[in-house]
Amino acid sequence: MASATTGFGVEAPRRTGEKQKQWSHNSPIRFVVLSLSSFFLFARFYLYDSMTALQVQVEKDFHVGSVEYNLLFTMYNIPNVVAPMVGGLLADRIGLSTAMTVYAGALVCTSTVILAGAYINSFSLVLVGRFLSGPFGESLGGAQGALMSKWFGMDEFAMATALSTAIARAGTFVTLNLQPYFYHHTGENMGNAAALATAMVFLGLLSAIAVMIIDRKTDEMHNDSPDEVEKYGGFEVLHGMNWRDEWNELKRLPRLTWMIAIYQFFYMLSLMAFMYNLNEFFMERYDMSHQNSSFVQSIIFLVSVTLLVPFGMVIDRIGHRVTMMGTAPLILVVVLLLMSVAKPNAEAAMVFTGISFALFKAASWPSALMAADESQRGTAGGTGLAAVSAANVIGPLIVGVLRSVTGNYDLGNLILAGNAGMAVMLSLAMFVEDGKKDNILQKRHEKLSFGNEDARKESEPLLS
C-alpha cells in the first residue's frame, strides 16, 4: 500500500487511494456525510453561543458584570490558541472521522461541567466547563473542514464548505432565538437552559458516530488493503509519534496559509467581539426588549446562512477568493464606524454584517486549505482555528474592559473597526502573494470528471 506524508512531515499509510478520491468526489453519499458532519457543528455552535443569547440573564443570575461575562468567551478560547493545531495534527494522524467522533464525545463530557455549574449557580464552574470545552469544540471544526476536502473536489470545495458552515451557523441563529424563550418558559432557570444545550451536543455526537461509520466503510470498500485502513483509522498510529517533527511541520506550511490565518485573526477579533455584546448594546442604545434584541442580533446569522451557499457556488464558478476576502472586512469597517458614531437602522446594520460574514466564511476557509498541500490540510485548518481563537481571547476582554470604563460600547466599536481595517490591508498582501503562486486562490478550478455513473452505482450498497 502506498504511503503518504501526513500533516506532520512523517510517512504514514495513505488512508485514501486515488480510486477512493475519485469515487468520493462524485458519490451522492458525500452530501449525507456533509449533512451529518455539519449537524454536530450545528450542536457545537448552539452550545458555544447559548450564553450569548442570555447575556443580561447571565449577568443577573450569576451576579457578574460585563468583564466577567466576556470571560465566558475568553476562557473558551485560551486553550484554542494551541489546541486546534494539535487537534489538526491528531486528525491527520488517526483519521479525520475518528478524530471528530473522539472530539464530539469529549465535548459532551465537558458540556456537563457547564450544566452542573449552571444548576448550582457557580459561575467559576461554568468558566471551567467553557475552558475544557474549547479545545474539543474548535478541533471539531478543523477536522470537519479537512474531511470536506476529502469528500469534495476543489471545484466544489467552496460550495461544500459554505453549505456546511450554513448548517453549522444555523445553530447560532436557533440558540439566539430558542434559548431566551426556553429560559423564560422554564422558570427562568439557567440550569434548564444549559440542559437544552447539552442535549443538542449529545445529538451531535450521534451524527459524528454515523459519519465515522460511513467514512470507514467507504475506505474499506474502495481501498486495496482494508486491514491497513483499519490500522490507520485507529489510535495504533500514535505509537512512536515524534512531536518535534510534528511541530516542525507547522513551519513548512505555505506563507499564504499563514497570511490567511493572520487575516482571520483580525477579522474575527472585530466581528465576534462586536457580536458577543450586541444583546446588551441593543437593549441600551435602542431600548429593545431582551427577546427583540436577541432576534435582531440573530439576523447576522440568518443572512449569512442564507447567502453562504450561493456565495460558495459563485466562488467555485468564478474564483476571485482574495477579492471576496478583501470585501468582507471592508463592509464590517463601515458597519462598526456607523454603530460607534451614529444610530443607524439596527436591522439594516445586521443585514450588512451578515453579508460580510458570509463572504468571509465562503472565501477564507476554503482558501486556507487550498493554499496548503493536501497532506497538511488538517494542520492548516487547525492553524486557522487557533488564530481565530486567539482573536476571541483578546477581543471580548478589550470590549468588556472598555465598556466598564466608559459606560458604553462606542470606543470599543471604533477599535474593532481599526482591526477590521487591518484585515483589509492583509487581503491586499495576499493578492500579491497569490500572484506568486500562479493565482491558486483567484483563479477558477476546473471540474474534474471521474465517471459519475460508476460512482452512483458503487454508492448504492452504502445508501441502502
Side-chain angles (χ1 to χ4, degrees):
M1 184 179 179
S3 65
T5 303
T6 69
F8 324 84
V10 294
E11 292 294 313
R14 186 180 297 278
R15 191 160 184 255
T16 56
E18 188 63 28
K19 179 180 177 182
Q20 196 278 336
K21 290 180 188 176
Q22 294 174 359
W23 177 86
S24 65
H25 290 176
N26 294 281
S27 169
I29 204 153
R30 70 192 190 279
F31 290 103
V32 177
V33 172
L34 185 150
S35 300
L36 288 171
S37 64
S38 299
F39 179 77
F40 62 69
L41 294 184
F42 172 100
R44 193 262 287 186
F45 277 115
Y46 190 99
L47 173 69
Y48 178 71
D49 289 314
S50 59
M51 294 295 180
T52 308
L54 299 170
Q55 178 182 1
V56 176
Q57 286 68 33
V58 166
E59 294 177 2
K60 176 176 69 72
D61 291 1
F62 290 110
H63 308 291
V64 297
S66 60
V67 174
E68 291 83 0
Y69 162 77
N70 280 284
L71 278 176
L72 290 168
F73 308 101
T74 297
M75 292 299 291
Y76 179 95
N77 287 288
I78 283 175
N80 294 332
V81 176
V82 174
M85 290 186 284
V86 177
L89 293 170
L90 289 175
D92 281 342
R93 190 72 169 174
I94 69 175
L96 298 171
S97 58
T98 302
M100 286 188 294
T101 303
V102 172
Y103 300 153
L107 190 60
V108 171
C109 296
T110 57
S111 69
T112 60
V113 179
I114 301 173
L115 175 61
Y119 267 123
I120 66 174
N121 202 37
S122 171
F123 190 71
S124 297
L125 189 57
V126 171
L127 288 177
V128 170
R130 296 282 287 189
F131 180 85
L132 295 174
S133 297
F136 304 111
E138 294 307 303
S139 295
L140 269 171
Q144 194 268 354
L147 185 69
M148 291 301 97
S149 73
K150 168 186 172 180
W151 279 86
F152 290 82
M154 284 298 100
D155 58 291
E156 291 184 320
F157 189 36
M159 180 275 294
T161 304
L163 183 56
S164 176
T165 304
I167 296 171
R169 272 301 179 180
T172 299
F173 176 78
V174 172
T175 197
L176 287 174
N177 288 280
L178 183 57
Q179 285 292 99
Y181 178 87
F182 193 78
Y183 174 86
H184 290 297
H185 287 79
T186 56
E188 297 191 349
N189 187 309
M190 193 62 66
N192 292 338
L196 180 58
T198 301
M200 286 287 187
V201 175
F202 179 76
L203 292 176
L205 171 60
L206 298 181
S207 68
I209 293 172
V211 168
M212 182 179 68
I213 292 172
I214 293 172
D215 189 56
R216 296 284 295 278
K217 283 192 172 293
T218 301
D219 284 349
E220 291 172 13
M221 290 172 60
H222 299 277
N223 198 291
D224 293 332
S225 179
D227 291 339
E228 292 194 27
V229 173
E230 282 293 322
K231 181 178 180 181
Y232 189 72
F235 288 92
E236 296 89 337
V237 294
L238 291 177
H239 178 69
M241 281 180 68
N242 186 331
W243 283 102
R244 179 174 296 177
D245 290 340
E246 319 304 350
W247 283 112
N248 284 339
E249 185 65 16
L250 289 172
K251 300 177 184 178
R252 288 189 283 272
L253 285 174
R255 182 185 301 173
L256 192 54
T257 298
W258 284 110
M259 293 175 72
I260 294 172
I262 298 170
Y263 160 87
Q264 290 171 326
F265 169 85
F266 282 109
Y267 180 90
M268 290 298 284
L269 189 153
S270 300
L271 177 72
M272 301 312 288
F274 173 58
M275 191 206 76
Y276 292 150
N277 295 278
L278 277 174
N279 199 298
E280 189 172 64
F281 174 80
F282 284 138
M283 293 176 72
E284 290 180 357
R285 177 71 67 87
Y286 290 84
D287 238 0
M288 293 183 183
S289 67
H290 177 222
Q291 196 74 42
N292 287 341
S293 173
S294 293
F295 172 74
V296 173
Q297 182 181 9
S298 72
I299 291 175
I300 295 174
F301 301 99
L302 178 62
V303 172
S304 62
V305 164
T306 302
L307 294 179
L308 264 170
V309 176
F311 282 173
M313 295 175 71
V314 169
I315 290 171
D316 280 334
R317 181 171 293 274
I318 69 171
H320 295 285
R321 293 166 183 83
V322 180
T323 304
M324 302 296 184
M325 282 192 278
T327 305
L330 189 60
I331 295 172
L332 188 58
V333 167
V334 174
V335 171
L336 287 167
L337 287 175
L338 288 175
M339 294 296 261
S340 61
V341 301
K343 190 178 177 181
N345 181 275
E347 290 82 359
M350 295 303 97
V351 167
F352 280 102
T353 304
I355 293 171
S356 168
F357 192 32
L359 280 172
F360 168 80
K361 281 287 188 179
S364 72
W365 287 106
S367 296
L369 300 183
M370 291 173 68
D373 183 77
E374 184 174 359
S375 64
Q376 292 182 305
R377 285 177 185 162
T379 307
T383 302
L385 287 170
V388 169
S389 297
N392 285 333
V393 169
I394 299 169
L397 279 181
I398 292 174
V399 174
V401 170
L402 290 175
R403 165 72 173 82
S404 297
V405 172
T406 65
N408 58 58
Y409 289 103
D410 294 344
L411 180 58
N413 287 339
L414 276 174
I415 292 175
L416 296 181
N419 278 283
M422 289 295 297
V424 176
M425 298 302 294
L426 275 162
S427 69
L428 297 176
M430 285 189 286
F431 184 84
V432 175
E433 182 66 20
D434 187 51
K436 299 177 183 177
K437 303 295 183 181
D438 195 31
N439 291 308
I440 58 173
L441 300 183
Q442 284 291 83
K443 71 182 180 183
R444 173 192 175 192
H445 289 261
E446 297 295 331
K447 183 172 180 63
L448 303 176
S449 176
F450 294 122
N452 291 336
E453 183 61 23
D454 290 340
R456 183 193 65 77
K457 290 179 179 178
E458 290 192 40
S459 69
E460 289 175 356
L462 276 177
L463 289 172
S464 63

